[in-house]
Amino acid sequence: MSAGKDLGHQVPSTTDGPIGMFDSGFGGLTVARAVIDLLPSEDLVYIGDTGRYPYGDKKSEDVRAYARELAWSLVKDHHAKAIVVACNTAAAALPVHELEAELAAAGVMVPVIGVIEPGAQSLVRATRSGRVGVIGTMGTIGSGAYDRAVARTSLGSTVQLVSAPCPGFVEFVERGRTTGPDVTILAQRLLAPILEADVDALLLGCTHYPYLARVISDVLGSHVTLVSSADETAFALRDQLGQAAMLKPDTGASGQHQFMSSGDVAWFKELGTRLLGPELTNVNIWNRKTDES
Ligand code: DGL
């Protein structure tokens, strides 16, 4: 993207325009569900980049480039009034304040909300013992984004964070496999460091993981509180839009929900409906037509 690009009249108006969201695939639907429930009148456009998933094992520069491309598509092609980066790996590779500043430098004044800060805040609130865990993709855990976010959030209190990457979890979800002996065996192996650290709260630091919550909880035990950033992100979005007078007036009518996939659209519709619910009817192919360079 070239900074300083002038989009002039394409700057979205304050209350019109959908909330734009993206993820590498189905995971961001956990956040979409929370946003639809909390802000039912708002229109929503969701891009699942299933053609390039998974992001978790890709180079950070590549994921940064994908995140920029998706954000630009949402503002240019769909006139999004706000962007929710519903993917931890993308938000770890391209922090939301950087993305927001890049868009603003090009004349596009849209709030950008990520999942990392709201998730970290929720995790710190959930712990009693001060021993907490976070699981995520290799990219997210390797970036140290949660170490920094938890340190910022827990200023003044002692919180010990143990992190574990969980390669393989996202692939199970993308195939629609959220339970079964092979998922449990993988979870037992990957969650061993979390069990050993004796945490009382675990943040699901990948938006795909809430779909595996039952297996994860079964492995860790019910004394460990599982924290998902989906609800907290939806609340953060509502607060930010409210403060900026950008919330659509609630007329009682439900918003329009549009979903796009860069991969297999029929599969996105089939699995997406199972994961998100009945709102996922309108699915189209996402073409990389925006040239933001
Ligand atoms: N949902 C993405 C996240 O929150 C998954 C990343 C992937 O595609 O590996 O990190």
Side-chain angles (χ1 to χ4, degrees):
M1 183 191 72
S2 61
K5 187 182 179 97
D6 181 12
L7 288 182
H9 63 280
Q10 293 184 28
V11 176
S13 70
T14 49
T15 57
D16 294 337
I19 292 162
M21 306 180 66
F22 68 85
D23 177 50
S24 65
F26 293 94
L29 295 179
T30 54
V31 186
R33 180 72 267 160
V35 170
I36 291 170
D37 290 343
L38 194 65
L39 300 171
S41 312
E42 295 286 347
D43 299 332
L44 189 133
V45 177
Y46 178 100
I47 306 174
D49 197 6
T50 45
R52 297 188 291 202
Y53 116 96
Y55 283 2
D57 58 2
K58 294 210 164 54
K59 284 193 287 193
S60 175
E61 307 91 88
D62 292 340
V63 177
R64 276 173 78 86
Y66 301 161
R68 277 198 186 100
E69 189 181 16
L70 291 158
W72 274 103
S73 174
L74 287 167
V75 294
K76 283 187 72 181
D77 304 331
H78 300 280
H79 310 291
K81 66 177 178 184
I83 292 180
V84 178
V85 181
C87 175
N88 292 262
T89 313
L94 179 58
V96 290
H97 61 272
E98 274 186 47
L99 178 56
E100 190 175 88
E102 286 182 10
L103 291 164
V108 180
M109 313 306 286
V110 292
V112 182
I113 292 104
V115 282
I116 292 180
E117 293 295 332
Q121 285 164 13
S122 186
L123 178 67
V124 170
R125 272 201 303 274
T127 185
R128 295 219 179 95
S129 69
R131 287 187 305 280
V132 298
V134 62
I135 54 174
T137 66
M138 300 289 275
T140 300
I141 299 302
S143 74
Y146 273 109
D147 302 276
R148 293 188 291 278
V150 168
R152 272 195 299 277
T153 303
S154 59
L155 274 184
S157 60
T158 313
V159 174
Q160 284 175 285
L161 175 70
V162 57
S163 313
C166 291
F169 275 6
V170 167
E171 286 79 352
F172 270 124
V173 174
E174 291 278 323
R175 295 201 302 268
R177 297 276 313 285
T178 52
T179 55
D182 41 2
V183 186
T184 301
I185 288 167
L186 181 66
Q188 283 166 338
R189 182 163 64 74
L190 295 173
L191 297 173
I194 302 290
L195 262 178
E196 206 171 305
D198 192 24
V199 303
D200 69 351
L202 176 74
L203 177 61
L204 306 178
C206 170
T207 53
H208 283 73
Y209 296 177
Y211 295 121
L212 302 174
R214 285 173 196 85
V215 173
I216 293 169
S217 192
D218 197 27
V219 169
L220 293 181
S222 56
H223 61 287
V224 178
T225 303
L226 298 187
V227 178
S228 150
S229 46
D231 289 340
E232 295 302 322
T233 301
F235 286 124
L237 172 69
R238 186 179 65 176
D239 288 351
Q240 216 160 318
L241 292 182
Q243 280 159 20
M246 291 173 75
L247 283 171
K248 197 171 166 186
D250 190 352
T251 57
S254 91
Q256 311 251 324
H257 307 125
Q258 189 186 344
F259 296 85
M260 280 173 291
S261 160
S262 58
D264 184 337
V265 171
W267 176 239
F268 197 89
K269 188 165 179 181
E270 186 187 327
L271 180 58
T273 308
R274 265 199 272 153
L275 296 177
L276 180 102
E279 291 86 352
L280 200 143
T281 48
N282 183 3
V283 186
N284 295 296
I285 184 83
W286 178 67
N287 289 311
R288 298 168 52 195
K289 64 181 176 185
T290 295
D291 174 15
E292 77 279 14
S293 59

